[in-house]
Amino acid sequence: MADVLVGRGCSWEFDSEFLRIKPENGKAPKLLSELGERVVPYEAIAKVTLAPGKRGTVVLRAEPRRGADPLMAAAAGQLRESADPYRLVLPAEKESLADYYAEELRSALTGRGPAAGFLVAGPEPPRAFKGWDGSATFDGDTITLTWFWSGATAAKYAAGDQRYVPADLEGVEWHAPEGASGCLRLLVRGRRPPPEADKDPASVIFGLGWGSTHKSLPFAAAVLASIPTAVLAQGSKELPSAVSDVAGLIAKLGELRDAGLLTEREFQLKKAELLSRL
């Protein structure tokens, strides 16, 4: 049975290969509650710290490796400390216990550098939020942006409601809704977005009370996490056609060689060139 460390609003469960972060119903910060239970492999963590907190508390924090968690990748350092899902706040009298677990956790870490890919699962779809000029939904297959007549610019209305699949995208930008600013922007492959987000039909503008972090950030992370898988799946569908085309060309080259129109060396050089395209 895994060891459990209970803190303010959530608990950490230490298993042999991963850390399980569980929000407490009704007491966890909004972002943690929205994310639900998260499983973080130890290979996704870069370091662990323990420091004094406010008002008689200590804070145990796990810092994920860069690129390991789609949520933190989408946040890009913009999260307020109180919303950090990798913080566990404990009473000061539990400092010795927290220090013990910090050391145990450090001994289980396997890497500190940037991760080659996401090691933590993204928030599960469906996801949705409302911004100032429109709403966004993601059902796991399609991202839909729907404009509000009361907030959208003429440029967005002219473009109409938008639909994208993850394979259409090369990334997601999330700008925290601080005050009246902020937006979520989908980076569409092969498209250069306009400088102003309010004129970009692939973005939703936040506003005071619109696009709140605990809704818009998990949305951004869910979309971001789905992009590599979608691109890989699309590539695997296209690969058989590419292989067939190259195989046909090599067969024709073989016929030209057999007819004496190509030397063996010329055939081998062209064959190598064609195979390098796969």
Side-chain angles (χ1 to χ4, degrees), residues 39-248:
V39 174
V40 182
Y42 294 140
E43 64 176 326
I45 299 173
K47 67 178 182 179
V48 181
T49 59
L50 180 65
K54 298 177 181 178
R55 301 172 186 174
T57 64
V58 292
V59 178
L60 181 60
R61 184 176 187 271
E63 181 178 318
R65 294 168 61 188
R66 185 160 61 88
D69 184 349
L71 183 86
M72 303 307 283
Q78 300 173 78
L79 274 182
R80 293 181 178 180
E81 187 179 82
S82 59
D84 185 348
Y86 285 92
R87 293 173 77 248
L88 183 66
V89 181
L90 301 151
E93 57 265 27
K94 288 189 176 182
E95 182 174 2
S96 296
L97 185 61
D99 186 56
Y100 166 78
Y101 281 108
E103 287 299 324
E104 289 291 303
L105 194 49
R106 290 185 190 109
S107 67
L109 305 186
T110 59
R112 293 179 177 272
F118 296 135
L119 300 172
V120 181
E124 286 289 329
R127 293 282 162 183
F129 73 89
K130 290 183 179 180
W132 170 254
D133 62 353
S135 64
T137 62
F138 177 43
D139 62 6
D141 296 314
T142 305
I143 304 108
T144 303
L145 308 182
T146 305
W147 309 122
F148 298 155
W149 66 267
S150 57
T153 59
K156 286 188 175 180
Y157 253 112
D161 294 345
Q162 302 289 298
R163 287 177 176 79
Y164 305 94
V165 296
D168 293 336
L169 310 177
E170 59 184 26
V172 179
E173 287 182 358
W174 179 82
H175 299 279
E178 297 294 336
S181 65
C183 71
L184 177 136
R185 181 179 289 211
L186 306 175
L187 305 179
V188 183
R189 293 182 186 279
R191 182 188 299 179
R192 185 175 180 179
E196 304 89 351
D198 63 347
K199 295 179 182 177
D200 182 0
S203 70
V204 175
I205 301 297
F206 303 150
L208 196 60
W210 300 90
S212 55
T213 294
H214 72 284
K215 290 291 186 180
S216 61
L217 180 56
F219 182 98
V223 173
L224 187 62
S226 70
I227 293 173
T229 302
V231 171
L232 184 62
Q234 185 182 64
S236 66
K237 291 178 183 177
E238 295 171 354
L239 185 58
S241 175
V243 170
S244 177
D245 291 345
V246 169

Side-chain angles (χ1 to χ4, degrees), residues 238-257 267 270-278:
E238 295 171 354
L239 185 58
S241 175
V243 170
S244 177
D245 291 345
V246 169
L249 289 172
I250 291 175
K252 289 179 180 179
L253 287 173
E255 293 173 3
L256 292 174
R257 179 199 56 190
F267 169 75
K270 194 62 180 176
K271 176 182 175 182
E273 179 189 335
L274 290 170
L275 290 173
S276 70
R277 298 179 187 178
L278 294 178

